[in-house]
Amino acid sequence: MTQVFSDALVFDVQRAQASATLRSLAQRVANGNGRSALAETIVRSIEPGRLTLDTFGIFMDVRQFNPGDDAKITIRRGKYPVRAMVPGTSHLVDRVYKQEKVGFMWDALIAGARANMLELNNGDIDSVARLRRDLRDDLIDAIAAKVFTLLTTTWSTVSTTSHVATVSGALNKTTLDTMFDTVIDYAGSVRAIIGTYKALRPLYQFAGYQLVTLTGGGETALPLRQLQERMDTNTVSTYRGTPVVELRQQYRNALPNPRAGLIPDNVVLVVGNQAGTIGLMGGVEYQDYTDFTKQPADYVIHAWQQYGILIDDPTAIGVITITP
């Protein structure tokens, strides 16, 4: 049992080091530097077939809370009126009402596994340490998928706001550029463009060229460096200097429809600066016991994690929905 906890501790240390590297690069992205290095590190560091909240740290703050912490965020709205000064007179003042305090509403997800002790001892089933890691990874997969789904519902599809757009068939350059400019106008910058491969695939095509109008009429397409990147990797890491975050589709892998996707593949998000915050309450908690009602006994383990999400500024999020 000592070796089991030792293996888990080493895994935690390695994961913390990888998370620190990604957070450092995400900060460089926020400052306008290191975008290509960030994309390469994500490709190398994230386990294929898995999602990670570190990915969301590229475009949203991810905060860790502990029980007893004040899990609230202060949001400053608007600006104080600034007036011309007239010396020798009493000037108007405004009450402090520009700050709002909002708190997280915590939700919790739980997953469990059961393994026969005979199979565990014979090595027919993964070790206890591996069971713990798999449960933790599956919880993070589910939280990441829920976060993306919640972001896609920031705006109703029937809203008349310019932060919602609908395209038929596939994403196109005109719609993406218009949404890009809208988010910049409200948020000051765009931190990331997010979607699944299926949703982003047209972007990988039109991001490789720039149309130039010729003197006397007509247009020509000039190849960009993204064209070579797509030919080499089948993806594009940046568009207009902004990271493109491709979320690997996660499948339910359970009856009645094992191939049901957990992440909407008909939505592309354009997320600006300070759009929101993802909160985690504590770490992944475990509860395990031995079920002696079976012969040989069963080892049973559960894992759960509390999480929450706050949308600080809905105008920093643009939603493009793709219809058939």
Side-chain angles (χ1 to χ4, degrees):
M1 187 61 70
T2 301
Q3 182 62 39
V4 167
F5 288 114
S6 176
D7 292 343
L9 180 59
V10 170
F11 179 82
D12 288 339
V13 171
Q14 293 173 342
R15 184 175 183 275
Q17 292 172 343
S19 298
T21 301
L22 286 173
R23 283 195 296 271
S24 174
L25 288 170
Q27 183 60 43
R28 292 174 60 194
V29 170
N31 296 333
N33 300 314
R35 292 189 173 94
S36 60
L38 174 67
E40 293 168 3
T41 300
I42 289 176
V43 171
R44 289 197 302 265
S45 300
I46 296 178
E47 179 185 356
R50 292 291 188 184
L51 293 177
T52 167
L53 290 176
D54 292 321
T55 304
F56 288 86
I58 300 170
F59 55 88
M60 294 185 72
D61 293 333
V62 180
R63 295 186 58 184
Q64 182 74 52
F65 296 94
N66 294 312
D69 289 349
D70 184 14
K72 295 183 178 65
I73 295 177
T74 300
I75 302 175
R76 186 176 186 273
R77 305 288 190 189
K79 299 179 180 295
Y80 287 104
V82 178
R83 306 176 178 89
M85 180 178 180
V86 181
T89 65
S90 177
H91 295 83
L92 296 174
V93 295
D94 297 273
R95 289 190 175 277
V96 179
Y97 67 95
K98 302 297 183 181
Q99 293 185 348
E100 299 178 7
K101 277 191 173 291
V102 293
F104 284 91
M105 296 291 291
W106 299 108
D107 196 2
L109 296 178
I110 188 171
R114 175 186 291 269
N116 187 267
M117 294 297 294
L118 183 63
E119 295 172 316
L120 276 173
N121 294 334
N122 291 341
D124 297 332
I125 296 180
D126 290 337
S127 65
V128 173
R130 181 57 186 266
L131 287 175
R132 290 166 65 94
R133 289 199 301 268
D134 286 346
L135 287 173
R136 175 171 54 187
D137 290 344
D138 287 346
L139 283 173
I140 297 302
D141 282 349
I143 292 174
K146 280 183 173 290
V147 167
F148 181 80
T149 302
L150 288 171
L151 290 175
T152 65
T153 60
T154 302
W155 299 99
S156 169
T157 55
V158 298
S159 298
T160 57
T161 176
S162 57
H163 291 80
V164 174
T166 301
V167 295
S168 178
L171 180 69
N172 59 69
K173 179 177 174 59
T174 301
T175 303
L176 180 59
D177 284 347
T178 300
M179 185 63 71
F180 196 97
D181 294 336
T182 297
V183 173
I184 286 181
D185 184 42
Y186 281 87
S189 64
V190 174
R191 292 181 61 173
I193 300 168
I194 312 106
T196 63
Y197 173 79
K198 182 178 179 179
L200 293 173
R201 184 168 50 195
L203 181 151
Y204 297 158
Q205 298 173 348
F206 63 69
Y209 299 91
Q210 180 178 357
L211 291 178
V212 177
T213 302
L214 301 176
T215 303
E219 291 181 329
T220 186
L222 298 180
L224 303 176
R225 67 171 182 82
Q226 283 88 346
L227 175 61
Q228 186 63 47
E229 182 183 11
R230 178 173 181 263
M231 294 175 65
D232 292 340
T233 66
N234 201 36
T235 60
V236 171
S237 60
T238 62
Y239 180 74
R240 291 178 59 174
T242 297
V244 176
V245 180
E246 179 189 311
L247 298 180
R248 188 182 181 99
Q249 181 61 272
Q250 302 296 298
Y251 294 97
R252 192 172 303 278
N253 291 328
L255 295 175
N257 186 5
R259 302 305 291 172
L262 299 179
I263 302 176
D265 56 12
N266 65 331
V267 178
V268 172
L269 296 178
V270 180
V271 180
N273 194 35
Q274 296 181 344
T277 304
I278 301 170
L280 298 175
M281 175 56 72
V284 176
E285 298 185 53
Y286 299 92
Q287 175 182 303
D288 58 352
Y289 63 91
T290 303
D291 181 4
F292 290 104
T293 62
K294 306 290 177 63
Q295 294 78 38
D298 276 355
Y299 174 78
V300 183
I301 182 172
H302 286 88
W304 61 89
Q305 171 74 64
Q306 296 184 79
Y307 75 99
I309 181 172
L310 286 179
I311 303 299
D312 302 338
D313 185 5
T315 61
I317 300 175
V319 180
I320 301 175
T321 302
I322 304 165
T323 60

